[in-house]
Amino acid sequence: MPSRSTKLILVSALSWCGAALAPVPAAGQGPPEQTLRALASVARAVRDSGAVWGPAIWPAYRPDTLPLAYVIPGQGTALFNWPSALPQGYGPVDGLPGAGWQGTAERGAASTSVELSGRAVAQMVVRDTARASLLGLTLHEALHAYQRSVTREGRRFGGGENAMLVGQYPVFDDANEAGVALEGRLLAAALHARSAAAARRLARQYAAVRERRFRALPIELVEFEELAELNEGLAQYAQIRGELLAGASLGSQDALRRLDDLTGTPGLSIRLRFYSTGSAMALLLDRLAGAGWKARLMDENLTLAELVAQVSGHHAEEAASQRAADAAFDLAALRTSAQAAVTELRGQRRRVVDSLLSRPGVLVELDGSALAQRFIGHCGFDPQNTLAVGDGTFLHTRWLRVCRGTRWDGEFNTPVLQGAGFTTLRAVVGLESEFMLTVRRQPVPLDSLTRMAGAEEVRIESPGLTLRISRADLEKEGRTLRVRLPAQ
């Protein structure tokens, strides 16, 4: 928790910015005056004090560096803390540098992190203009923007859950629902325990009953819960901490009050449960482990529940066994040996790829970077003959089939390099004398091709590739034929 002096600085910042507002446009000439004053007060507080608030909530979190967009339903969007010329569609607000107003707002706008003119922006839908409520919501959505900025492949923090699984969640499974209810009550009891020892004991019980429930859930739903807690639970934690830092304690803590009856609101989305459990675990970790747990969660790629289990001592015997095994069989030496082996394997795989792609013949590059999902997709591959090359690339050593309805269908019967994210495929598919390209059923000699945009009914026939594409952009450079798949 912040020191008394830090609290005074934060509360003073809020009080000052509320008293020092510049004049705003009159009603009918722009944004609603009273609402804009409330929004400007909070935006200025975040700008002036976010460098103190942010790291107190999460390491390297700087809400003061983010533009803030407040959507007023049915009226428009107020933009604050914009660092340069306002983005298209926004007009300036007299007396408020860096502020803009757009008199329209999307009906489906939601509180979330968005991108505007290439910048990450925290967007809030305004339904309550009370200062502390607005401040908490702003810090909640600004944390989402921070989470997205540090997202890394394979890292849980910032990745977000697969929201499509909401509809598959087992709300009719009474055993799972009973387990959820028990976990909520254990978390509430741990948060309200009078001593750290009692809180730790209840945290161990919580970790045990959650592991028992998770054993009966499909792995994708376990991951859904864990990532939702990291995503929305930590944002809710930022909202609670932000209000506490500003000397207030408001409705954001309703999420904690719901812990006693997590399953008792059937009219609400089950996703709201994870706002409660995630923020509760974060506050419990503050009590049991101090602020250092946050860096550990990111560095070790942990979930909140895994960290609660560790700091509560739930896995103490397991940890002791691991330490004994590490010492007995010299884990440090094994790691050194593994690092050398991995470096050699990475180099070996890269040399194999270079050798395959440098073979004589036509090098075909299938490029899906213009596709909405940047994903070419496959309809079949041989897992026994698929090798990781590194940096997200894979080598299919003998066979791969790609298809997308009537848009394209192709089969590689030769080694093919799959680029990161399945955005590109590269393969030497045969000698030019064995290669046939047709567009609209007419042969196209490779030696006469440079560029052809919007080619229709493209077909490639060669020893290593048979490919049919309804429409593509073609480009020939040297021995490389690039086939770009259009967005539509």
Side-chain angles (χ1 to χ4, degrees), residues 147-148 150-160 223 226-227 230 297-303 306 391-392 394 420-421:
Q147 288 173 316
R148 301 299 175 263
V150 297
T151 300
R152 299 291 182 272
E153 182 71 27
R155 308 299 292 177
R156 289 174 167 134
F157 183 86
E223 183 179 69
E226 293 172 334
L227 294 182
L230 286 171
L297 178 136
M298 293 189 294
D299 292 344
E300 299 181 25
N301 200 25
L302 298 171
T303 68
E306 286 171 341
D391 299 324
F394 294 87

Side-chain angles (χ1 to χ4, degrees), residues 103-116:
T104 59
E106 295 183 13
R107 291 187 177 184
S111 294
T112 185
S113 61
V114 298
E115 185 175 293
L116 181 61

Side-chain angles (χ1 to χ4, degrees), residues 404-452:
R404 178 74 62 82
T406 59
R407 294 179 63 187
W408 63 79
D409 193 330
E411 186 169 350
F412 291 86
N413 289 293
T414 190
V416 53
L417 181 66
Q418 173 190 317
F422 218 126
T423 303
T424 60
L425 294 171
R426 302 178 70 211
V428 176
V429 299
L431 299 176
E432 189 167 333
S433 60
E434 305 171 300
F435 188 94
M436 177 177 291
L437 168 67
T438 62
V439 175
R440 287 190 172 182
R441 302 182 183 180
Q442 296 301 312
V444 177
L446 285 181
D447 55 9
S448 66
L449 177 66
T450 53
R451 288 184 177 85
M452 185 182 296

Side-chain angles (χ1 to χ4, degrees), residues 172-376:
F172 301 114
D173 183 335
D174 55 357
N176 186 71
E177 291 294 280
V180 169
L182 175 57
E183 290 166 28
R185 295 186 182 188
L186 281 165
L187 275 176
L191 285 176
H192 292 100
R194 292 188 176 183
S195 68
R200 200 174 300 276
R201 173 176 54 80
L202 288 161
R204 286 196 297 272
Q205 294 177 13
Y206 167 75
V209 299
R210 169 172 269 223
E211 287 181 1
R212 178 180 64 191
R213 181 173 66 85
F214 273 7
R215 282 194 290 271
L217 278 183
I219 187 64
E220 64 270 17
L221 292 180
V222 171
E223 183 179 69
F224 167 70
E225 286 199 31
E226 293 172 334
L227 294 182
E229 287 167 338
L230 286 171
N231 182 26
E232 294 295 356
L234 286 181
Q236 190 71 17
Y237 167 77
Q239 186 166 341
I240 294 170
R241 287 292 308 273
E243 292 184 351
L244 291 174
L245 283 167
S249 177
L250 291 184
S252 66
Q253 296 194 58
D254 285 345
L256 301 181
R257 286 187 279 272
R258 284 197 294 268
L259 289 170
D260 282 323
D261 193 16
L262 275 179
T263 60
T265 51
L268 298 178
S269 169
I270 58 98
R271 196 164 170 267
L272 292 174
R273 296 176 181 180
F274 312 121
Y275 287 65
S276 300
T277 56
S279 58
M281 281 191 281
L283 291 167
L284 183 58
L285 286 164
D286 281 346
R287 183 177 188 183
L288 299 181
W293 69 267
K294 300 167 188 178
R296 182 177 169 191
L297 178 136
M298 293 189 294
D299 292 344
E300 299 181 25
N301 200 25
L302 298 171
T303 68
L304 286 163
E306 286 171 341
L307 199 47
V308 167
Q310 289 184 19
V311 304
S312 68
H314 175 59
H315 292 311
E317 184 175 344
E318 175 185 328
S321 295
Q322 289 174 351
R323 288 192 297 271
D326 293 348
F329 293 92
D330 198 353
L331 177 61
L334 292 174
R335 282 178 175 164
T336 299
S337 176
Q339 288 170 353
V342 166
T343 298
E344 171 57 27
L345 178 63
R346 192 185 303 274
Q348 181 188 70
R349 294 273 171 89
R350 190 69 256 175
R351 290 191 295 273
V352 168
V353 168
D354 291 344
S355 173
L356 290 171
L357 294 183
S358 64
R359 291 180 303 169
V362 179
L363 175 61
V364 171
E365 181 177 304
L366 192 60
D367 182 356
S369 58
L371 300 174
Q373 301 298 322
R374 296 174 57 86
F375 181 75
I376 295 174

